[in-house]
Amino acid sequence: MVGKIYGTGSCVPSRVMDNNDMAKIVETSDEWIRERTGIERRHIIEDETTSYMAGQAALRAVEQSGIDPAEIDMVIVATSSSETIFPCAACEVQKTVGAVHAAAYDLNAACTGFVLAFNSAQAYISAGIYRTILVVGAESMSNMIDWTDRGTCILFGDGAGAVLLRAEEGTPVCMAAHSDGIKGEALTQLSRHRKGWEQEENKESCMHMDGQAVFKFAVRKVPEIIEEVLEKADAKLEDIDYFVLHQANRRIIEAVAKRLKTDLAKFPMNLEEYANTSAATVPILLDEINRKGMLQRGQKLMLAGFGAGLTWAACLFEW
Ligand code: UT7
């Protein structure tokens, strides 16, 4: 059995901050941000929370699927920015959608979180343990960043995306995932639940990133893991209809396409509108291309995520 996507959904805050708004906060410019990242705008929470956006994205996915929420066996929310440690965001989503029979838990693997959650859901389905699984990626990155650090604050946005998977007969799903804790210092976010954090300056608790190290890691490891998955699946690059990659930087996606010698048109992007929403980028993009009518049953999709940990993961499946 494989998990087929029956529905997708997304939710982003209505408040938009464009690059000129960012230039009022830190020393930067629309031109620099566009050239170095491809980002034009990002959606930033006001009253919304991570679990609220997760719930709304999930409701839309469930609605599109036509599946009774009582049939959902499991809810997994990939997030590292939930407003509560417990109850987990997945339990909030369970409540919102009325998935009364589901088990629910959160998964934290930063920007790789959604692809790992998707892989986990596929593994449960292929093992025959569960039949219907809701997988969500949701983040409020604006609560984590140091708004005085131009090297990071311009890169991120808030939002959530969701997919509803249902077991069916089909071509096996193929996946891979890796981590490298030794290089973890390249991208860190300390918890505010550590002893003594109250005495620190707020900046200490914010995200720290070695941008160039993460950039180099991504352009090397993403093509590698895509090739690893293709080899496992005995498939070729040409077989893939779309590469749905984590939306961190347009230049990273261009470099991956170039290394794979694959047409950039097969790499849909929406980072100009939402920036990097961490675990939410892949499901928001999936929802967007699905609702635009770009996807047909039988097409082959490759998902790939990468980020803090360091972590990276990929998944090849048929739409
Ligand atoms: O989900 C995974 C999360 N992270 C990523 O994917 C990040 C991956 N890395 C990147 O996307 C890029 O490294 C950045 C966009 C973060 C930075 O781009 P870059 O081309 O690597 O720039 P840089 O860090 O080498 O900085 C170049 C210059 C520096 O000035 P000097 O030293 O040349 O005078 C920076 O101080 O650009 C400066 N700079 C900025 N200037 C205007 C850095 N940030 C900004 C800014 N506006 N926002």
Side-chain angles (χ1 to χ4, degrees), residues 22 26-33 35-37 39 110-112 141 149-156 186-187 207 209-218 246-252 276-279 281 306-308:
M22 299 304 294
V26 287
E27 204 183 322
T28 189
S29 65
D30 177 46
E31 193 191 2
W32 192 96
I33 301 172
E35 271 179 16
R36 301 284 178 131
T37 71
I39 296 164
C111 302
T112 316
M141 301 306 290
D149 174 16
R150 67 178 182 173
T152 50
C153 74
I154 54 114
L155 298 172
F156 294 95
L187 183 46
M207 180 193 301
M209 181 176 74
D210 178 346
Q212 289 192 0
V214 178
F215 192 100
K216 283 181 197 151
F217 145 73
H246 171 46
Q247 305 283 296
N249 186 322
R250 187 183 171 86
R251 289 190 295 137
I252 293 178
N276 180 348
T277 56
S278 190
T281 63
F306 60 88

Coordinates of all heavy atoms in Angstrom, one line a residue, residues 22 26-33 35-37 39 110-112 141 149-156 186-187 207 209-218 246-252 276-279 281 306-308, ligand 1:
M22 N 11.1 45.6 5.0 CA 12.3 45.1 5.7 C 13.4 46.2 5.7 O 14.1 46.3 6.7 CB 12.8 43.9 5.0 CG 11.9 42.7 4.9 SD 11.2 42.2 6.5 CE 12.6 41.6 7.4
V26 N 16.0 47.0 8.9 CA 17.4 46.7 8.9 C 18.0 47.4 7.7 O 17.3 47.7 6.7 CB 17.7 45.2 8.9 CG1 17.4 44.6 10.3 CG2 17.0 44.5 7.8
E27 N 19.4 47.5 7.7 CA 20.0 48.1 6.5 C 20.1 47.0 5.4 O 20.9 46.2 5.3 CB 21.5 48.5 6.9 CG 22.0 49.6 6.1 CD 23.4 49.9 6.4 OE1 23.8 49.9 7.6 OE2 24.2 50.1 5.5
T28 N 19.1 47.1 4.5 CA 19.1 46.2 3.3 C 18.3 46.9 2.2 O 17.9 48.1 2.4 CB 18.4 44.9 3.8 OG1 18.5 44.0 2.7 CG2 16.9 45.1 4.1
S29 N 18.1 46.2 1.1 CA 17.3 46.9 0.0 C 16.6 45.8 -0.7 O 16.9 44.6 -0.7 CB 18.3 47.5 -0.9 OG 19.1 46.6 -1.6
D30 N 15.5 46.2 -1.4 CA 14.7 45.3 -2.2 C 15.6 44.6 -3.2 O 15.6 43.4 -3.4 CB 13.6 46.1 -2.9 CG 12.8 45.3 -3.9 OD1 12.4 44.2 -3.4 OD2 12.6 45.7 -5.0
E31 N 16.5 45.4 -3.8 CA 17.4 44.9 -4.9 C 18.3 43.8 -4.3 O 18.4 42.7 -4.9 CB 18.3 46.0 -5.4 CG 19.0 45.7 -6.7 CD 20.1 46.7 -7.0 OE1 20.3 47.7 -6.2 OE2 20.7 46.5 -8.0
W32 N 18.9 44.0 -3.1 CA 19.8 43.0 -2.5 C 19.0 41.7 -2.2 O 19.5 40.6 -2.6 CB 20.5 43.5 -1.2 CG 21.6 42.6 -0.8 CD1 22.9 42.8 -1.0 CD2 21.5 41.4 0.0 NE1 23.7 41.8 -0.4 CE2 22.8 40.9 0.2 CE3 20.4 40.7 0.6 CZ2 23.1 39.8 0.9 CZ3 20.7 39.5 1.3 CH2 22.0 39.1 1.5
I33 N 17.9 41.8 -1.6 CA 17.1 40.6 -1.2 C 16.7 39.8 -2.5 O 16.8 38.6 -2.5 CB 15.9 41.0 -0.3 CG1 16.4 41.7 0.9 CG2 15.1 39.7 0.1 CD1 15.2 42.3 1.8
E35 N 18.0 39.9 -5.5 CA 19.2 39.3 -6.2 C 19.8 38.1 -5.5 O 20.1 37.1 -6.1 CB 20.3 40.3 -6.4 CG 20.1 41.1 -7.7 CD 21.1 42.2 -7.9 OE1 22.2 42.1 -7.2 OE2 20.9 43.1 -8.7
R36 N 19.9 38.2 -4.2 CA 20.6 37.1 -3.4 C 19.7 36.0 -3.0 O 20.1 34.9 -2.7 CB 21.2 37.7 -2.1 CG 22.2 38.8 -2.3 CD 23.5 38.2 -2.8 NE 24.5 39.3 -3.0 CZ 25.7 39.3 -2.6 NH1 26.2 38.3 -1.8 NH2 26.5 40.3 -2.8
T37 N 18.3 36.2 -3.0 CA 17.4 35.2 -2.5 C 16.2 34.9 -3.4 O 15.7 33.8 -3.4 CB 16.9 35.5 -1.1 OG1 15.9 36.6 -1.3 CG2 17.9 36.0 -0.2
I39 N 13.5 36.4 -2.9 CA 12.3 36.7 -2.1 C 11.9 38.2 -2.4 O 12.7 39.1 -2.5 CB 12.7 36.6 -0.6 CG1 13.0 35.1 -0.3 CG2 11.6 37.1 0.3 CD1 13.7 34.9 1.0
A110 N 13.3 20.9 11.9 CA 13.4 22.2 11.3 C 12.9 22.2 9.9 O 11.8 21.7 9.7 CB 14.9 22.7 11.4
C111 N 13.6 22.7 8.9 CA 13.1 22.9 7.5 C 12.9 21.5 6.8 O 12.2 21.5 5.8 CB 14.0 23.7 6.7 SG 14.3 25.4 7.4
T112 N 13.5 20.5 7.4 CA 13.3 19.1 6.7 C 12.1 18.5 7.3 O 11.7 17.4 6.8 CB 14.6 18.3 7.0 OG1 15.8 19.1 6.8 CG2 14.7 17.1 6.1
M141 N 8.0 31.5 12.0 CA 9.4 31.9 12.1 C 9.7 33.3 12.6 O 10.7 33.6 13.2 CB 10.0 31.7 10.7 CG 9.9 30.4 10.0 SD 10.5 29.1 11.1 CE 12.3 29.4 11.0
D149 N 19.0 41.4 12.8 CA 20.0 40.7 12.1 C 19.6 40.6 10.6 O 18.8 39.7 10.3 CB 20.3 39.3 12.7 CG 21.2 38.5 11.9 OD1 22.0 39.0 11.0 OD2 21.3 37.2 12.0
R150 N 20.2 41.4 9.7 CA 19.8 41.4 8.3 C 20.1 40.1 7.6 O 19.6 39.8 6.6 CB 20.4 42.6 7.6 CG 21.9 42.6 7.5 CD 22.4 43.8 6.7 NE 23.8 43.7 6.5 CZ 24.5 44.5 5.8 NH1 23.9 45.5 5.2 NH2 25.8 44.4 5.6
G151 N 21.1 39.4 8.2 CA 21.5 38.1 7.6 C 20.5 37.0 7.7 O 20.5 36.1 6.9
T152 N 19.5 37.2 8.6 CA 18.5 36.1 8.7 C 17.1 36.7 8.6 O 16.2 36.0 8.0 CB 18.6 35.4 10.1 OG1 18.7 36.4 11.2 CG2 19.8 34.5 10.2
C153 N 16.8 37.9 9.2 CA 15.4 38.3 9.3 C 14.7 38.5 7.9 O 13.5 38.3 7.9 CB 15.2 39.5 10.2 SG 15.8 41.1 9.4
I154 N 15.5 38.8 6.9 CA 14.9 39.0 5.6 C 14.5 37.7 4.9 O 13.8 37.7 3.9 CB 15.8 39.7 4.7 CG1 17.2 39.0 4.6 CG2 16.1 41.2 5.1 CD1 17.5 38.5 3.3
L155 N 14.9 36.5 5.5 CA 14.8 35.3 4.8 C 13.5 34.5 5.1 O 13.1 33.6 4.3 CB 15.9 34.3 5.1 CG 17.3 34.7 4.8 CD1 18.3 33.8 5.4 CD2 17.5 34.8 3.3
F156 N 12.8 34.8 6.2 CA 11.8 33.9 6.7 C 10.4 34.5 6.7 O 10.2 35.8 6.7 CB 12.1 33.5 8.1 CG 13.4 32.6 8.1 CD1 14.6 33.2 8.4 CD2 13.3 31.3 7.9 CE1 15.8 32.4 8.4 CE2 14.5 30.5 7.9 CZ 15.7 31.1 8.2
A186 N 25.9 25.3 12.4 CA 25.7 26.2 11.2 C 24.3 26.9 11.3 O 24.1 27.9 10.7 CB 25.8 25.4 9.9
L187 N 23.4 26.3 12.0 CA 22.0 26.9 12.1 C 21.4 26.4 13.4 O 21.1 25.3 13.6 CB 21.2 26.4 10.9 CG 19.8 26.9 10.7 CD1 19.7 28.4 10.9 CD2 19.3 26.5 9.4
M207 N 17.5 32.9 16.4 CA 18.2 32.0 15.5 C 19.6 32.6 15.1 O 19.7 33.8 14.9 CB 17.3 32.0 14.2 CG 17.9 31.1 13.1 SD 17.0 31.4 11.6 CE 15.4 31.0 12.0
M209 N 22.7 31.8 12.2 CA 23.0 31.0 11.0 C 24.2 31.4 10.3 O 24.5 32.6 10.2 CB 21.8 31.2 10.0 CG 22.0 30.3 8.7 SD 20.5 30.4 7.7 CE 20.7 32.1 7.0
D210 N 25.0 30.4 9.9 CA 26.1 30.7 9.0 C 25.6 30.4 7.6 O 25.5 29.3 7.1 CB 27.3 29.7 9.3 CG 28.5 29.8 8.4 OD1 28.3 30.5 7.3 OD2 29.5 29.3 8.7
G211 N 25.1 31.5 7.0 CA 24.4 31.4 5.7 C 25.2 30.7 4.6 O 24.6 29.8 3.9
Q212 N 26.4 31.0 4.5 CA 27.2 30.4 3.4 C 27.4 28.9 3.6 O 27.4 28.1 2.7 CB 28.6 31.1 3.3 CG 28.4 32.5 2.7 CD 29.7 33.2 2.3 OE1 30.8 32.5 2.4 NE2 29.6 34.4 1.8
A213 N 27.6 28.5 4.9 CA 27.8 27.1 5.2 C 26.5 26.3 4.8 O 26.6 25.2 4.3 CB 28.1 26.9 6.7
V214 N 25.3 26.9 5.2 CA 24.1 26.2 4.9 C 23.9 26.2 3.4 O 23.4 25.2 2.8 CB 22.9 26.9 5.6 CG1 21.6 26.3 5.2 CG2 23.1 26.9 7.1
F215 N 24.2 27.3 2.7 CA 24.1 27.3 1.2 C 24.9 26.2 0.6 O 24.4 25.5 -0.3 CB 24.6 28.7 0.8 CG 24.2 29.0 -0.7 CD1 23.1 29.8 -0.9 CD2 24.9 28.5 -1.7 CE1 22.8 30.1 -2.3 CE2 24.6 28.8 -3.0 CZ 23.5 29.6 -3.3
K216 N 26.2 26.1 1.0 CA 27.1 25.1 0.4 C 26.5 23.7 0.7 O 26.6 22.8 -0.2 CB 28.5 25.3 0.9 CG 29.2 26.4 0.3 CD 30.6 26.5 0.8 CE 31.2 27.9 0.5 NZ 32.2 28.3 1.5
F217 N 26.1 23.5 1.9 CA 25.6 22.2 2.3 C 24.4 21.8 1.4 O 24.3 20.7 0.9 CB 25.2 22.2 3.8 CG 24.0 21.4 4.2 CD1 24.0 20.1 4.3 CD2 22.8 22.1 4.5 CE1 22.9 19.3 4.7 CE2 21.7 21.4 4.9 CZ 21.7 20.0 5.0
A218 N 23.5 22.8 1.2 CA 22.3 22.5 0.5 C 22.6 22.2 -1.0 O 22.0 21.2 -1.5 CB 21.3 23.7 0.5
H246 N 12.4 22.4 -0.8 CA 12.3 23.4 0.3 C 12.6 24.8 -0.3 O 13.7 24.9 -1.0 CB 13.3 23.0 1.4 CG 13.4 24.1 2.5 ND1 12.3 24.7 3.0 CD2 14.5 24.6 3.0 CE1 12.8 25.6 3.9 NE2 14.1 25.5 3.9
Q247 N 11.8 25.8 0.0 CA 12.0 27.1 -0.6 C 12.8 28.0 0.3 O 12.2 28.7 1.2 CB 10.6 27.7 -0.9 CG 9.6 26.8 -1.7 CD 10.0 26.9 -3.2 OE1 9.9 27.9 -3.8 NE2 10.4 25.8 -3.7
A248 N 14.1 27.9 0.2 CA 14.9 28.8 1.0 C 15.5 29.9 0.3 O 15.6 31.0 0.8 CB 16.0 27.9 1.7
N249 N 16.0 29.6 -0.9 CA 16.7 30.6 -1.7 C 16.6 30.2 -3.2 O 16.9 29.0 -3.5 CB 18.2 30.7 -1.2 CG 18.9 31.8 -1.9 OD1 18.8 32.1 -3.1 ND2 19.8 32.4 -1.1
R250 N 16.2 31.1 -4.1 CA 16.1 30.8 -5.5 C 17.4 30.3 -6.0 O 17.5 29.4 -6.9 CB 15.7 32.1 -6.2 CG 15.4 31.8 -7.7 CD 15.0 33.0 -8.5 NE 14.9 32.7 -9.9 CZ 13.9 32.1 -10.5 NH1 12.8 32.0 -9.8 NH2 13.9 31.8 -11.7
R251 N 18.5 30.9 -5.5 CA 19.9 30.5 -6.1 C 20.2 29.0 -5.7 O 20.9 28.4 -6.4 CB 21.0 31.4 -5.6 CG 20.9 32.8 -6.2 CD 22.1 33.6 -5.9 NE 22.2 33.9 -4.4 CZ 23.3 33.8 -3.7 NH1 24.4 33.5 -4.2 NH2 23.3 34.1 -2.4
I252 N 19.7 28.6 -4.5 CA 19.9 27.2 -4.2 C 19.2 26.3 -5.1 O 19.8 25.3 -5.7 CB 19.5 26.9 -2.7 CG1 20.4 27.6 -1.7 CG2 19.5 25.4 -2.4 CD1 20.0 27.5 -0.2
N276 N 11.0 31.9 3.3 CA 11.3 30.5 3.8 C 10.4 30.3 5.0 O 10.6 30.9 6.1 CB 12.8 30.5 4.2 CG 13.2 29.1 4.8 OD1 12.3 28.3 5.1 ND2 14.5 28.9 4.9
T277 N 9.4 29.5 4.9 CA 8.5 29.2 6.0 C 8.9 27.8 6.7 O 8.0 27.1 7.2 CB 7.0 29.1 5.6 OG1 6.9 28.2 4.5 CG2 6.5 30.5 5.1
S278 N 10.2 27.5 6.5 CA 10.7 26.3 7.2 C 9.9 25.0 6.8 O 9.7 24.7 5.7 CB 10.9 26.5 8.7 OG 11.6 25.5 9.3
A279 N 9.4 24.3 7.8 CA 8.7 23.0 7.5 C 7.4 23.2 6.7 O 6.8 22.2 6.2 CB 8.3 22.3 8.8
T281 N 7.2 25.1 3.8 CA 7.4 25.5 2.4 C 6.9 24.4 1.5 O 6.2 24.7 0.5 CB 8.9 25.8 2.1 OG1 9.7 24.6 2.2 CG2 9.4 27.0 2.8
F306 N 15.8 20.4 3.4 CA 17.1 20.4 4.1 C 17.1 21.6 5.1 O 16.3 22.5 5.0 CB 18.2 20.7 3.0 CG 18.0 22.0 2.3 CD1 18.5 23.2 2.7 CD2 17.2 22.0 1.1 CE1 18.2 24.4 2.1 CE2 17.0 23.2 0.4 CZ 17.5 24.4 0.9
G307 N 17.9 21.4 6.1 CA 18.0 22.5 7.1 C 18.7 22.1 8.3 O 19.6 21.3 8.3
A308 N 18.3 22.8 9.4 CA 19.1 22.7 10.7 C 19.2 21.3 11.2 O 18.3 20.4 10.9 CB 18.4 23.6 11.8
Ligands
UT7_1 O1 16.1 26.6 5.5 C1 17.5 26.6 5.5 C2 17.8 28.0 6.0 N1 18.9 28.7 5.5 C3 19.3 28.9 4.2 O2 18.9 28.2 3.3 C4 20.3 29.9 4.0 C5 21.3 29.6 2.9 N2 22.1 30.8 2.7 C6 21.7 31.8 1.9 O3 20.6 31.8 1.4 C7 22.7 32.9 1.7 O4 23.9 32.6 2.2 C8 22.2 34.3 2.3 C9 21.0 34.8 1.5 C10 21.8 34.1 3.7 C11 23.3 35.3 2.2 O5 23.7 35.5 0.8 P1 25.3 35.5 0.4 O6 25.3 35.7 -1.0 O7 25.9 34.2 1.0 O8 25.8 36.8 1.2 P2 26.9 36.9 2.3 O9 26.5 36.3 3.6 O10 28.2 36.4 1.7 O11 27.0 38.5 2.4 C12 27.5 39.3 1.3 C13 27.4 40.7 1.8 C14 28.1 41.0 3.1 O12 28.7 42.2 3.1 P3 30.3 42.4 2.8 O13 30.9 41.6 3.9 O14 30.5 41.8 1.4 O15 30.5 43.9 2.9 C15 26.9 41.0 4.1 O16 27.2 41.8 5.2 O17 26.1 41.1 1.9 C16 25.8 41.7 3.2 N3 24.5 41.3 3.6 C17 23.4 42.1 3.3 N4 23.4 43.3 2.6 C18 22.1 43.8 2.4 C19 24.1 40.3 4.3 N5 22.7 40.3 4.5 C20 22.3 41.5 3.8 C21 21.1 42.1 3.6 N6 21.0 43.2 2.9 N7 19.9 41.5 4.1

